[in-house]
Amino acid sequence: MGNAIHQADFGERPRVRVAGTVRVIRHDRIGGMPALEAELCDGSCHIDLVWLGRRRIVGIETGSTVVAEGRLGIRHGRTTMFNPRYELRAGDLRAAKPCSAGARATDVCAVVM
């Protein structure tokens, strides 16, 4: 899919484009605002996508195939992208294997930019 990078390899909040399948949806509150969180996985590692001020986004659901673009950061020790631009894709990545048990939260895969 693309080149994998590790948290230690990227500098100050690089802008990247990632692709994968949404494996988990969470609802949280950050700074008193609702936040929609989606864990994106390409089969070997993952990234958290967080939309502040959103409770739901049509099409962002478990099993959705998403391409997201934005700046990387770290939140609670996990690689995170806040308020990314995104595209929903028809199943091209749905055949990806499940996230591996050894995947680290600080790994980012499928960098397609």
Side-chain angles (χ1 to χ4, degrees), residues 33-88:
M33 296 173 30
L36 175 66
E37 300 181 22
E39 182 179 300
L40 193 68
C41 178
D42 83 335
S44 58
C45 44
H46 55 263
I47 183 171
D48 290 338
L49 305 178
V50 179
W51 288 273
L52 300 172
R54 304 293 298 265
R55 288 186 174 90
R56 182 171 188 272
I57 297 174
V58 174
I60 301 291
E61 55 195 35
T62 303
S64 296
T65 301
V66 177
V67 175
E69 182 178 335
R71 296 202 180 276
L72 294 180
I74 304 298
R75 177 176 176 251
H76 302 302
R78 296 171 58 94
T79 303
T80 304
M81 187 182 293
F82 285 95
N83 297 319
R85 290 183 175 169
Y86 67 93
E87 299 170 21
L88 298 174

Coordinates of all heavy atoms in Angstrom, one line a residue, residues 33-88:
M33 N -16.2 19.1 24.4 CA -16.8 18.9 23.1 C -17.0 17.5 22.8 O -16.1 16.7 23.1 CB -16.0 19.6 22.0 CG -15.9 21.1 22.2 SD -14.8 21.9 21.0 CE -14.9 20.9 19.6
P34 N -18.0 17.1 22.1 CA -18.1 15.7 21.6 C -17.0 15.5 20.6 O -16.5 16.4 19.9 CB -19.5 15.6 20.9 CG -19.9 17.0 20.6 CD -19.2 17.9 21.6
A35 N -16.5 14.2 20.5 CA -15.5 13.8 19.5 C -15.8 12.4 19.0 O -16.1 11.5 19.8 CB -14.1 13.9 20.2
L36 N -15.7 12.3 17.7 CA -15.9 11.0 17.1 C -14.5 10.5 16.8 O -13.7 11.2 16.2 CB -16.7 11.1 15.8 CG -16.8 9.9 14.9 CD1 -17.7 8.8 15.6 CD2 -17.4 10.2 13.6
E37 N -14.2 9.2 17.2 CA -12.9 8.6 17.0 C -13.1 7.4 16.2 O -14.0 6.6 16.5 CB -12.2 8.3 18.3 CG -12.0 9.5 19.2 CD -11.3 9.1 20.5 OE1 -10.7 8.0 20.6 OE2 -11.5 9.8 21.5
A38 N -12.2 7.2 15.2 CA -12.2 6.0 14.4 C -10.8 5.4 14.3 O -9.9 6.2 14.0 CB -12.7 6.3 13.0
E39 N -10.7 4.2 14.6 CA -9.4 3.5 14.5 C -9.2 3.0 13.1 O -10.0 2.1 12.7 CB -9.2 2.4 15.5 CG -7.9 1.7 15.5 CD -7.7 0.6 16.5 OE1 -7.9 1.0 17.7 OE2 -7.5 -0.5 16.1
L40 N -8.3 3.5 12.3 CA -8.1 3.1 10.9 C -6.9 2.0 10.9 O -5.9 2.3 11.5 CB -7.7 4.3 10.1 CG -7.7 4.1 8.6 CD1 -9.2 4.0 8.1 CD2 -7.1 5.4 8.0
C41 N -7.1 0.9 10.2 CA -6.1 -0.1 10.2 C -6.0 -0.6 8.7 O -6.9 -0.8 8.0 CB -6.6 -1.3 11.1 SG -5.6 -2.7 11.1
D42 N -4.7 -0.9 8.4 CA -4.5 -1.5 7.0 C -4.1 -3.0 7.1 O -3.7 -3.6 6.2 CB -3.4 -0.7 6.3 CG -2.0 -1.1 6.6 OD1 -1.8 -1.6 7.8 OD2 -1.1 -0.9 5.8
G43 N -4.1 -3.6 8.3 CA -3.8 -5.0 8.5 C -2.5 -5.2 9.3 O -2.3 -6.2 9.9
S44 N -1.7 -4.2 9.4 CA -0.5 -4.4 10.2 C -0.3 -3.3 11.3 O 0.4 -3.5 12.2 CB 0.8 -4.4 9.3 OG 0.8 -3.2 8.5
C45 N -0.9 -2.2 11.1 CA -0.8 -1.1 12.2 C -2.0 -0.2 12.0 O -2.8 -0.3 11.1 CB 0.5 -0.4 12.1 SG 1.1 0.0 10.5
H46 N -2.1 0.8 12.9 CA -3.2 1.6 12.9 C -2.9 3.1 13.3 O -1.9 3.4 13.7 CB -4.3 1.1 13.8 CG -3.7 0.8 15.2 ND1 -3.3 -0.4 15.6 CD2 -3.6 1.7 16.3 CE1 -2.9 -0.3 16.9 NE2 -3.0 0.9 17.3
I47 N -4.0 3.9 13.1 CA -3.9 5.3 13.4 C -5.3 5.7 13.9 O -6.3 5.2 13.4 CB -3.5 6.2 12.2 CG1 -3.4 7.6 12.5 CG2 -4.4 6.0 11.0 CD1 -2.7 8.5 11.4
D48 N -5.4 6.6 14.8 CA -6.7 7.1 15.3 C -7.0 8.4 14.6 O -6.2 9.3 14.5 CB -6.6 7.4 16.8 CG -6.5 6.2 17.7 OD1 -6.9 5.1 17.2 OD2 -6.1 6.3 18.8
L49 N -8.2 8.4 14.0 CA -8.8 9.6 13.4 C -9.8 10.2 14.3 O -10.6 9.5 14.8 CB -9.5 9.3 12.0 CG -8.7 8.5 11.0 CD1 -9.5 8.2 9.8 CD2 -7.4 9.2 10.6
V50 N -9.6 11.5 14.6 CA -10.5 12.2 15.6 C -11.1 13.4 15.0 O -10.4 14.3 14.5 CB -9.7 12.5 16.9 CG1 -10.6 13.2 17.9 CG2 -9.1 11.3 17.5
W51 N -12.4 13.5 15.0 CA -13.2 14.7 14.5 C -13.8 15.3 15.7 O -14.7 14.8 16.4 CB -14.2 14.3 13.5 CG -13.7 13.8 12.2 CD1 -13.4 14.6 11.2 CD2 -13.4 12.5 11.8 NE1 -13.0 13.9 10.1 CE2 -13.0 12.6 10.5 CE3 -13.5 11.2 12.4 CZ2 -12.6 11.4 9.8 CZ3 -13.2 10.1 11.7 CH2 -12.7 10.2 10.4
L52 N -13.3 16.5 16.1 CA -13.7 17.3 17.2 C -15.1 17.9 16.9 O -15.3 18.4 15.8 CB -12.7 18.4 17.6 CG -11.4 17.8 18.0 CD1 -10.4 19.0 18.2 CD2 -11.5 17.0 19.3
G53 N -16.0 18.0 17.9 CA -17.3 18.6 17.7 C -18.3 17.7 16.9 O -19.3 18.2 16.5
R54 N -17.9 16.5 16.6 CA -18.8 15.6 15.8 C -19.2 14.4 16.6 O -18.4 13.8 17.3 CB -18.1 15.1 14.6 CG -17.5 16.2 13.7 CD -18.6 17.0 13.0 NE -19.5 16.3 12.1 CZ -19.3 16.2 10.8 NH1 -18.3 16.8 10.2 NH2 -20.2 15.5 10.1
R55 N -20.5 14.1 16.6 CA -21.0 12.9 17.2 C -21.1 11.7 16.2 O -21.0 10.6 16.6 CB -22.3 13.1 17.9 CG -22.3 14.0 19.1 CD -23.7 14.1 19.7 NE -23.6 14.8 21.0 CZ -23.7 16.1 21.1 NH1 -23.9 16.8 20.0 NH2 -23.6 16.6 22.3
R56 N -21.3 12.1 15.0 CA -21.4 11.1 13.9 C -21.1 11.7 12.6 O -21.3 12.9 12.4 CB -22.9 10.6 13.9 CG -23.2 9.6 12.9 CD -24.6 9.0 13.1 NE -24.8 7.9 12.3 CZ -25.3 7.9 11.1 NH1 -25.6 9.1 10.5 NH2 -25.4 6.8 10.4
I57 N -20.5 10.9 11.7 CA -20.3 11.3 10.3 C -20.9 10.2 9.4 O -20.5 9.0 9.6 CB -18.8 11.5 10.0 CG1 -18.3 12.7 10.8 CG2 -18.6 11.8 8.5 CD1 -16.7 12.9 10.7
V58 N -21.8 10.5 8.6 CA -22.4 9.5 7.7 C -21.3 8.8 6.9 O -20.5 9.5 6.3 CB -23.5 10.2 6.8 CG1 -24.0 9.2 5.8 CG2 -24.6 10.8 7.6
G59 N -21.3 7.5 6.9 CA -20.3 6.8 6.2 C -19.1 6.3 7.0 O -18.4 5.4 6.6
I60 N -18.8 7.0 8.1 CA -17.7 6.6 8.9 C -18.2 5.7 10.0 O -18.9 6.0 10.9 CB -17.0 7.8 9.6 CG1 -16.5 8.9 8.6 CG2 -15.9 7.4 10.6 CD1 -15.3 8.4 7.8
E61 N -18.0 4.4 9.7 CA -18.5 3.3 10.6 C -17.6 2.1 10.5 O -16.8 2.0 9.6 CB -20.0 3.0 10.1 CG -20.1 2.6 8.7 CD -21.5 2.6 8.2 OE1 -22.3 3.4 8.6 OE2 -21.8 1.7 7.3
T62 N -17.8 1.2 11.4 CA -17.0 0.0 11.4 C -17.1 -0.7 10.0 O -18.2 -0.9 9.5 CB -17.4 -1.0 12.5 OG1 -17.3 -0.3 13.7 CG2 -16.5 -2.2 12.5
G63 N -15.9 -1.0 9.4 CA -15.9 -1.7 8.1 C -15.7 -0.7 6.9 O -15.5 -1.2 5.8
S64 N -15.9 0.6 7.2 CA -15.7 1.6 6.1 C -14.3 1.6 5.6 O -13.4 1.5 6.4 CB -16.1 3.0 6.5 OG -17.5 3.0 6.9
T65 N -14.1 1.8 4.3 CA -12.8 2.0 3.8 C -12.6 3.5 3.6 O -13.4 4.2 3.0 CB -12.7 1.3 2.4 OG1 -12.9 -0.1 2.6 CG2 -11.3 1.5 1.8
V66 N -11.5 4.0 4.2 CA -11.3 5.5 4.3 C -9.9 5.8 3.8 O -8.9 5.1 4.2 CB -11.5 6.0 5.7 CG1 -11.2 7.5 5.9 CG2 -12.9 5.7 6.2
V67 N -9.7 6.9 3.1 CA -8.4 7.6 2.9 C -8.5 8.9 3.6 O -9.5 9.7 3.4 CB -8.2 7.8 1.4 CG1 -6.9 8.6 1.1 CG2 -8.2 6.5 0.6
A68 N -7.6 9.1 4.5 CA -7.6 10.4 5.3 C -6.3 11.1 5.1 O -5.2 10.6 4.9 CB -7.7 10.0 6.8
E69 N -6.4 12.5 5.2 CA -5.2 13.3 5.0 C -5.2 14.4 6.1 O -6.3 15.0 6.4 CB -5.3 14.0 3.6 CG -4.1 14.9 3.4 CD -4.2 15.5 2.0 OE1 -4.8 15.0 1.1 OE2 -3.5 16.6 1.8
G70 N -4.1 14.6 6.7 CA -3.9 15.6 7.7 C -2.6 15.5 8.4 O -1.7 14.8 7.9
R71 N -2.4 16.1 9.5 CA -1.2 16.1 10.3 C -1.2 15.1 11.4 O -2.2 15.0 12.1 CB -0.9 17.5 10.9 CG -0.8 18.6 9.8 CD 0.0 19.8 10.3 NE 0.1 20.8 9.2 CZ 1.1 20.7 8.3 NH1 2.0 19.8 8.4 NH2 1.2 21.7 7.4
L72 N -0.1 14.4 11.5 CA 0.0 13.4 12.6 C 0.4 14.0 13.9 O 1.2 15.0 13.9 CB 1.1 12.4 12.2 CG 0.8 11.5 11.0 CD1 2.0 10.5 10.8 CD2 -0.5 10.7 11.2
G73 N -0.1 13.5 15.0 CA 0.3 13.9 16.3 C 0.2 12.6 17.2 O -0.1 11.5 16.7
I74 N 0.5 12.8 18.5 CA 0.4 11.7 19.4 C -0.6 12.1 20.5 O -0.5 13.2 21.0 CB 1.8 11.4 20.1 CG1 2.8 11.1 19.0 CG2 1.7 10.3 21.1 CD1 2.5 9.9 18.2
R75 N -1.5 11.2 20.8 CA -2.5 11.4 21.9 C -2.6 10.2 22.7 O -2.9 9.1 22.1 CB -3.9 11.8 21.3 CG -4.9 11.9 22.3 CD -6.3 12.4 21.7 NE -7.3 12.5 22.7 CZ -8.3 11.6 22.7 NH1 -8.4 10.6 21.8 NH2 -9.2 11.7 23.7
H76 N -2.4 10.2 23.9 CA -2.4 9.1 24.8 C -1.5 8.0 24.3 O -1.8 6.8 24.4 CB -3.8 8.5 25.0 CG -4.8 9.5 25.5 ND1 -4.6 10.1 26.8 CD2 -5.9 10.0 25.0 CE1 -5.6 10.9 27.0 NE2 -6.4 10.9 25.9
G77 N -0.3 8.4 23.7 CA 0.7 7.4 23.3 C 0.3 6.8 21.9 O 1.0 5.9 21.5
R78 N -0.7 7.2 21.3 CA -1.2 6.6 20.0 C -1.0 7.7 18.9 O -1.3 8.8 19.1 CB -2.6 6.2 20.1 CG -2.8 5.0 21.1 CD -4.3 4.7 21.4 NE -5.0 4.4 20.2 CZ -5.1 3.1 19.8 NH1 -4.7 2.1 20.5 NH2 -5.8 2.9 18.7
T79 N -0.7 7.2 17.7 CA -0.6 8.1 16.6 C -2.0 8.5 16.2 O -2.9 7.7 16.0 CB 0.1 7.4 15.4 OG1 1.3 6.9 15.8 CG2 0.2 8.3 14.2
T80 N -2.2 9.8 16.1 CA -3.5 10.4 15.9 C -3.5 11.5 14.9 O -2.6 12.2 14.7 CB -4.0 11.0 17.3 OG1 -4.0 10.0 18.3 CG2 -5.4 11.5 17.2
M81 N -4.6 11.6 14.2 CA -4.9 12.7 13.2 C -6.2 13.4 13.6 O -7.2 12.7 13.6 CB -4.9 12.1 11.8 CG -5.0 13.1 10.7 SD -5.1 12.3 9.0 CE -3.6 11.5 8.9
F82 N -6.1 14.7 13.9 CA -7.3 15.4 14.3 C -7.9 16.1 13.1 O -7.3 16.7 12.2 CB -7.0 16.5 15.3 CG -6.7 15.9 16.7 CD1 -5.4 15.6 17.1 CD2 -7.8 15.7 17.5 CE1 -5.2 15.1 18.3 CE2 -7.6 15.1 18.8 CZ -6.3 14.9 19.2
N83 N -9.3 16.0 13.0 CA -10.1 16.6 11.9 C -9.5 16.4 10.5 O -9.3 17.4 9.8 CB -10.2 18.1 12.3 CG -11.0 18.3 13.5 OD1 -12.0 17.7 13.8 ND2 -10.5 19.3 14.3
P84 N -9.2 15.2 10.2 CA -8.6 15.0 8.8 C -9.7 15.2 7.7 O -10.9 15.0 7.9 CB -8.2 13.5 8.9 CG -9.2 12.9 9.8 CD -9.5 13.9 10.9
R85 N -9.1 15.5 6.6 CA -9.9 15.4 5.3 C -10.1 14.0 5.1 O -9.1 13.2 5.3 CB -9.2 16.1 4.2 CG -9.2 17.6 4.3 CD -8.5 18.2 3.1 NE -8.6 19.7 3.3 CZ -7.9 20.5 2.5 NH1 -7.2 20.0 1.6 NH2 -8.1 21.8 2.7
Y86 N -11.2 13.5 4.5 CA -11.3 12.1 4.2 C -12.1 11.8 3.0 O -12.9 12.7 2.5 CB -12.0 11.4 5.5 CG -13.4 11.8 5.7 CD1 -14.5 11.1 5.1 CD2 -13.7 13.0 6.4 CE1 -15.8 11.5 5.3 CE2 -15.0 13.4 6.6 CZ -16.1 12.7 6.0 OH -17.3 13.1 6.2
E87 N -11.9 10.6 2.5 CA -12.7 10.1 1.3 C -13.1 8.8 1.7 O -12.4 8.0 2.2 CB -11.8 10.0 0.1 CG -11.2 11.3 -0.4 CD -10.2 11.1 -1.5 OE1 -10.2 10.0 -2.1 OE2 -9.3 11.9 -1.7
L88 N -14.4 8.4 1.4 CA -14.9 7.1 1.6 C -14.7 6.4 0.3 O -14.9 6.9 -0.8 CB -16.4 7.1 1.9 CG -16.7 7.8 3.2 CD1 -18.2 7.9 3.4 CD2 -16.1 7.1 4.4

